[in-house]
Amino acid sequence: DIQMTQSPSSLSASVGDRVNITCRASQSISSYLNWYQQKPGKAPKVLIYGASSLESGVPSRFSGSGSGTDFTLTISSLQPEDFATYYCQQSYSFRTFGQGTKVEFK
Amino acid sequence: QVQLVESGGGVVQPGRSLRLSCAASGFTFSSCAMHWVRQAPGKGLEWVAIISYDGNNKYYADSVKGRFTISRDNSKNTLYLHMNSLRGEDTAVYYCAKEELISGTTVYFDYWGQGTLVTVSS
């Protein structure tokens, strides 16, 4: 089974900060990596698919990069509505999620 | 617009069974692979199972293999999860999710239901 490891598990940031969240796969998954945002009590929402493609309607401050085993989600300028938990997910072999990264207000 | 509405959750005793349903609308259900994903209270997301568009292929997470069965009725636009031999660690919000396929190989969950809570407790 492919394991996905995110870092950090949580971070504190301020509005306007640049935020990077990393995700590492236990084996190469090419670009079969997606990123989701989840707010409390809500279903997750896709932000990035195929490692770097922005889902329609998602603000351009979100971007994704990487391939193989190492991936990054970047929020270029954190907005108040971005405080949430973020998950990476591989679709190379079945499906696996990372453990999540909670972005909190500093 | 796409809608996924789960139902069937509730409180169930350990060892008992439960069936979840997910009613789909707003898209061609019979053309899409579908998934169940769960989230234990205060924990992260865990993928549970996938079923192909025609129901012929099904795969499960190791944690539920042999106890859970995913199925679908394309004539009713409905996805199911039959859960047997339930354990305390199966307590979670269960989401159904639609899979989007891009360029023949890239797949991701583009729509999710609101979730239904299953609590396994005596």
Side-chain angles (χ1 to χ4, degrees):
Chain A
D1 292 4
I2 299 175
Q3 309 302 317
M4 307 300 293
T5 304
Q6 287 181 233
S7 60
S9 296
S10 64
L11 64 90
S12 298
S14 300
V15 173
D17 284 353
R18 182 181 183 88
V19 169
N20 289 314
I21 299 169
T22 64
C23 179
R24 176 164 289 177
S26 59
Q27 67 181 73
S28 177
I29 58 171
S30 185
S31 295
Y32 297 108
L33 190 284
N34 308 313
W35 289 98
Y36 299 86
Q37 176 194 67
Q38 187 180 33
K39 296 182 179 179
K42 300 294 187 182
K45 166 190 166 185
V46 64
L47 301 173
I48 303 287
Y49 62 89
S52 60
S53 296
L54 190 68
E55 173 72 342
S56 176
V58 174
S60 59
R61 62 181 179 272
F62 292 94
S63 63
S65 63
S67 66
T69 60
D70 294 309
F71 302 87
T72 301
L73 173 70
T74 298
I75 309 172
S76 60
S77 178
L78 197 66
Q79 297 303 300
E81 59 268 30
D82 301 337
F83 291 94
T85 300
Y86 294 84
Y87 295 92
C88 63
Q89 174 248 324
Q90 65 83 17
S91 58
Y92 180 84
S93 174
F94 302 116
R95 311 288 181 267
T96 316
F97 290 92
Q99 81 279 16
T101 296
K102 187 173 184 178
V103 176
E104 299 175 299
F105 182 72
K106 183 185 283 184
Chain B
Q1 71 282 18
V2 172
Q3 277 200 307
L4 298 169
V5 180
E6 300 96 337
S7 60
V11 180
V12 60
Q13 293 179 328
R16 302 298 291 266
S17 300
L18 202 62
R19 187 186 79 165
L20 305 183
S21 301
C22 171
S25 61
F27 66 102
T28 306
F29 181 74
S30 58
S31 297
C32 296
M34 297 293 295
H35 297 254
W36 288 98
V37 176
R38 69 184 181 182
Q39 186 169 36
K43 302 297 184 182
L45 300 168
E46 180 187 15
W47 173 77
V48 172
I50 178 178
I51 186 168
S52 60
Y53 69 98
D54 57 3
N56 287 339
N57 294 290
K58 308 172 187 182
Y59 299 97
Y60 301 90
D62 287 344
S63 58
V64 307
K65 201 174 297 181
R67 300 188 299 122
F68 289 13
T69 301
I70 189 172
S71 62
R72 65 191 299 160
D73 186 337
N74 285 344
S75 68
K76 296 182 178 179
N77 286 353
T78 302
L79 175 72
Y80 302 100
L81 186 67
H82 304 256
M83 304 184 293
N84 297 325
S85 303
L86 282 161
R87 307 166 179 166
E89 54 265 38
D90 297 318
T91 294
V93 173
Y94 285 74
Y95 296 101
C96 63
K98 171 185 170 293
E99 182 168 278
E100 175 71 357
L101 174 63
I102 300 289
S103 302
T105 55
T106 297
V107 291
Y108 61 98
F109 304 131
D110 62 341
Y111 289 96
W112 300 64
Q114 84 288 352
T116 187
L117 176 62
V118 173
T119 302
V120 183
S121 173
S122 53

